């Protein structure tokens, strides 16, 4: 009976150990979890995934920082501009998806994404309708660039003199953001109705959308979850000079496919940047107790063409490349000489930083990043940081430009950020706990195998000890003599 018990315990221990090792090597339970995640990450009406995609619960905040020019007269005489950062002016951003339609048997989804901004005074440094900013007169600079060396050049100069326009202007934060009626543009509007008489960096962007998107639902492949295939009815852009640069790649940056690894690149299409860009793995961390991978824009995205020849397609006109860290987007901004960069020219060519006194780039404040949970692909924390600059130079045809040096002049930058709310984080932690329990089953089986193995060894040792022990009576001769 003892031998049978011993054999049973030994066989059970060996079976459990072999089974656990086999399950770990074959990734059986991890495969089960991955399959459930893949099947759950599809845009289907009525699911939690769809509801979170339609109206993301975490609050989004948009912060605006302006660069106030403190020496405008000296700048017109050729001196280095001195700017002072003023901000933030913070707005709560609401961005539900509306007019949603399922296409092609549920494999595609179309939607509009209007954004509404509501001012948050307690998170701001002042009143945007009162605080004044001196900055580059973008309408005047644009008009001068439009008409120089054309028959309209003289008329533009007359209008600039008539309206007493200068290269720099003073307006409230509210006007610079949401728009003010510009006299110069109003006059041009009479001859060219397509020119908006109202100028604002975010003019007509409060309560409006940037066009219809068509996304893949993830029905055919989890890797295609929420990937953009059309924007404004087109499958590619037309602003740039190469097919690669005109591609619409990735998602809109609010959601990603599950099962992300450190070696892959995350693609995003941004209508603000007028292009697609990609992010690469930077570090691992945790947000609200949930593990994350941090992805940041690759240094190749805004590298000059000597480092990344593929960026030549973004040089418009061909060969006109501004340098590392700066993107000329005038081609998609009605010809206005707008250049985009990271705030304070972070990771840009040092010449841009040296040209403007008051630039202090810092990784923690000026880098764009995404903190993504690798299992689910959910964004837990993110910050999109973008700076708007104006290309200014001396134009001999217009005395308003004085002797100003050729500069990429910073106007303002944004910090659009999101942090997962506690309710969503708690729900995600519960999901991850369930996944951990399932994937931990092989280790539980292994632990049981080890326990039974220890029991088996103890029983064997005790059995041998008992067989070696004997009493004095047992050791005495069988036949005794008196």
């Amino acid at each position: 009976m003892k031998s049978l018990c011993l054999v049973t315990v030994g066989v059970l221990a060996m079976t459990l150990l072999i089974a656990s090792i086999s399950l770990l090597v074959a990734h059986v339970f991890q495969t089960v979890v991955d399959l459930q995640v893949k099947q759950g990450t599809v845009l289907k009406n009525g699911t939690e995934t769809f509801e979170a995609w339609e109206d993301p619960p975490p609050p989004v905040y948009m912060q605006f920082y302006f660069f106030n020019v403190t020496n405008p007269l000296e700048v017109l005489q050729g001196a280095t501009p001195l700017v002072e950062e003023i901000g933030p002016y913070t707005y709560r951003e609401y961005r539900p998806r509306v007019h949603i339609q399922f296409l092609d048997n549920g494999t595609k989804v179309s939607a509009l994404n209007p954004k509404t901004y509501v001012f948050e005074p307690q998170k701001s440094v002042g009143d945007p309708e009162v605080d004044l900013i001196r900055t580059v007169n973008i309408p005047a600079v644009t008009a001068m660039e439009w008409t120089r060396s054309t028959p309209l050049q003289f008329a533009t100069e007359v209008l600039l003199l008539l309206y007493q326009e200068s290269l720099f202007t003073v307006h409230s934060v509210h006007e610079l953001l949401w728009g003010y009626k510009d006299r110069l543009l109003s006059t041009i509007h009479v001859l060219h109705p397509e020119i908006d008489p109202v100028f604002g960096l975010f003019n007509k962007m409060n309560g409006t959308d940037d066009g219809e998107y068509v996304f893949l639902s993830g029905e055919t492949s989890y890797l295609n979850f929420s990937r953009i295939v059309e924007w404004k009815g087109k499958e590619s852009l037309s602003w740039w000079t190469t097919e690669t640069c005109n591609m619409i790649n990735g998602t809109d940056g609010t959601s990603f496919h599950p099962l992300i690894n450190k070696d892959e690149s995350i693609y995003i299409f941004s209508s603000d940047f007028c292009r697609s860009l990609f992010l690469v793995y930077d570090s691992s961390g945790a947000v609200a107790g949930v593990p994350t991978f941090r992805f940041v824009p690759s240094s190749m995205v805004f590298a000059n063409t000597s480092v990344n020849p593929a960026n030549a397609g973004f040089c418009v006109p061909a060969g006109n490349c501004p340098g590392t860290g700066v993107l000329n987007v005038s081609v998609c901004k009605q010809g206005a000489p707008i250049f985009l960069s990271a705030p304070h020219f972070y990771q840009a060519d040092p010449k841009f930083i040296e040209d403007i006194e008051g630039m202090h780039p810092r990784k923690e404040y000026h880098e764009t990043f995404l903190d993504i949970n690798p299992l689910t692909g959910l964004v837990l924390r993110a910050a999109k940081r973008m700076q708007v600059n104006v290309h200014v130079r001396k134009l001999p045809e217009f005395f308003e430009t004085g002797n100003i040096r050729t500069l990429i002049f910073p106007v303002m930058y944004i910090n659009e950020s999101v942090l997962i709310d506690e309710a969503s984080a708690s729900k995600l932690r519960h999901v991850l706990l369930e996944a951990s329990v399932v994937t931990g089953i092989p280790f539980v089986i292994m632990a049981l195998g080890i326990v039974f193995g220890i029991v088996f060894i103890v029983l064997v040792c005790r059995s041998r000890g008992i067989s070696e022990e004997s009493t004095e009576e047992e050791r005495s001769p069988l036949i005794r003599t008196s």
Side-chain angles (χ1 to χ4, degrees):
M1 185 66 183
K2 289 183 179 179
S3 297
L4 179 61
C5 182
L6 210 59
V7 171
T8 302
V9 172
V11 170
L12 184 59
M14 186 62 67
T15 302
L16 290 172
L17 287 172
I18 293 174
S20 64
I21 293 172
S22 300
L23 290 171
L24 285 172
V25 171
H27 302 288
V28 173
F29 288 97
Q30 184 63 57
T31 301
V32 171
V33 170
D34 292 351
L35 183 60
Q36 289 180 336
V37 171
K38 291 176 185 178
Q39 292 175 343
T41 312
V42 179
L43 293 175
K44 288 183 179 179
N45 208 353
T47 63
E48 287 189 11
T49 298
F50 176 77
E51 291 175 358
W53 177 83
E54 180 183 28
D55 192 8
V60 179
Y61 291 96
M62 179 72 89
Q63 294 179 307
F64 298 97
Y65 297 81
F66 285 84
F67 294 109
N68 187 57
V69 183
T70 60
N71 62 337
L73 296 179
E74 291 83 353
V75 172
L76 289 174
Q77 295 169 4
T80 298
L82 175 60
V83 298
E84 175 189 13
E85 181 183 300
I86 299 178
Y89 295 90
T90 305
Y91 293 75
R92 173 73 186 273
E93 181 180 327
Y94 297 90
R95 46 190 305 167
R97 290 185 171 88
V98 298
H99 300 304
I100 299 173
Q101 292 183 322
F102 289 89
L103 311 169
D104 296 349
N105 296 320
T107 59
K108 296 180 181 179
V109 185
S110 65
L112 298 175
N113 191 201
K115 299 177 183 179
T116 303
Y117 301 94
V118 179
F119 183 61
E120 295 273 348
Q122 61 271 39
K123 297 180 183 292
S124 305
V125 298
D127 186 344
E129 297 196 17
V130 174
D131 295 355
L132 299 177
I133 302 293
R134 180 186 291 109
T135 187
V136 176
N137 189 341
I138 298 178
V141 172
T142 302
M144 286 187 277
E145 291 286 356
W146 276 344
T147 59
R148 65 185 298 263
S149 302
T150 72
L152 294 176
Q153 176 185 311
F154 178 73
T156 301
E157 179 62 35
V158 170
L159 289 175
L160 290 171
L161 290 171
L162 178 65
Y163 297 139
Q164 298 182 337
E165 296 285 355
S166 169
L167 193 67
F168 295 99
T169 185
V170 177
H171 286 280
S172 70
V173 169
H174 182 86
E175 289 174 331
L176 290 173
L177 282 178
W178 311 116
Y180 61 91
K181 191 168 185 178
D182 184 82
R183 291 183 298 177
L184 181 60
L185 293 181
S186 296
T187 303
I188 297 175
H189 174 74
V190 175
L191 300 175
H192 297 277
E194 71 277 9
I195 302 300
D196 196 329
V198 176
F199 171 79
L201 294 167
F202 277 69
N203 179 36
K204 296 182 179 178
M205 294 176 68
N206 195 349
T208 60
D209 62 79
D210 60 345
E212 184 183 60
Y213 288 84
V214 176
F215 306 87
L216 293 178
S217 66
E219 182 73 41
T220 57
S221 171
Y222 76 97
L223 293 172
N224 288 330
F225 174 72
S226 70
R227 184 166 69 84
I228 300 169
V229 291
E230 287 184 28
W231 178 56
K232 290 186 174 181
K234 297 182 179 180
E235 296 181 355
S236 63
L237 307 175
S238 57
W239 296 311
W240 312 112
T241 60
T242 65
E243 184 178 343
T244 300
C245 292
N246 277 319
M247 292 176 66
I248 297 176
N249 290 326
T251 73
D252 61 2
T254 61
S255 57
F256 298 93
H257 69 78
L259 307 179
I260 292 174
N261 62 66
K262 298 177 181 179
D263 298 323
E264 69 178 290
S265 297
I266 299 295
Y267 283 85
I268 294 174
F269 170 69
S270 172
S271 62
D272 294 331
F273 280 98
C274 307
R275 60 165 290 183
S276 301
L277 54 150
F278 66 97
L279 295 82
V280 294
Y281 172 81
D282 178 69
S283 59
S284 298
V287 176
V290 178
T292 58
F293 288 167
R294 171 162 290 192
F295 284 81
V296 300
S298 168
S299 59
M300 300 294 285
V301 172
F302 296 114
N304 63 42
T305 53
S306 63
V307 177
N308 184 8
N311 281 345
F314 294 114
C315 301
V316 179
N320 185 21
C321 306
T324 296
V326 174
L327 177 68
N328 179 1
V329 293
S330 58
V331 68
C332 61
K333 303 295 181 183
Q334 291 187 309
I338 302 296
F339 286 61
L340 300 180
S341 69
H344 286 254
F345 297 112
Y346 173 71
Q347 290 188 326
D349 192 311
K351 69 179 181 180
F352 299 119
I353 302 171
E354 295 164 359
D355 281 347
I356 308 292
E357 190 172 344
M359 296 291 99
H360 306 289
R362 294 179 62 180
K363 177 183 176 73
E364 60 268 35
Y365 296 138
H366 304 137
E367 182 178 55
T368 292
F369 69 85
L370 290 168
D371 287 339
I372 306 173
N373 176 249
L375 177 64
T376 61
L378 293 176
V379 177
L380 277 72
R381 180 172 56 197
K384 182 175 79 173
R385 292 155 173 169
M386 177 185 74
Q387 181 169 295
V388 177
N389 311 280
V390 180
H391 181 256
V392 296
R393 56 179 172 166
K394 179 180 179 179
L395 299 175
E397 302 90 343
F398 298 98
F399 85 92
E400 287 83 3
T401 59
N403 290 313
I404 192 170
R405 294 186 291 162
T406 299
L407 300 166
I408 303 297
F409 210 108
V411 176
M412 56 85 74
Y413 73 87
I414 64 169
N415 176 29
E416 187 178 24
S417 61
V418 62
L419 176 65
I420 191 170
D421 58 289
E422 181 52 36
S424 299
S426 177
K427 187 181 297 184
L428 182 54
R429 286 194 296 267
H430 180 71
V431 170
L432 295 177
L433 178 60
E434 290 181 343
S436 298
V437 170
V438 174
T439 55
I441 289 177
F443 296 100
V444 174
I445 295 173
M446 181 179 288
L448 289 173
I450 293 172
V451 170
F452 278 106
I454 294 172
V455 171
F456 174 75
I457 293 171
V458 170
L459 290 176
V460 169
C461 291
R462 287 187 63 185
S463 176
R464 288 182 178 179
I466 291 172
S467 66
E468 292 175 358
E469 291 178 358
S470 60
T471 63
E472 185 178 344
E473 181 72 20
E474 292 172 332
R475 290 195 300 270
S476 64
L478 294 175
I479 300 173
R480 297 182 182 181
T481 60
S482 58

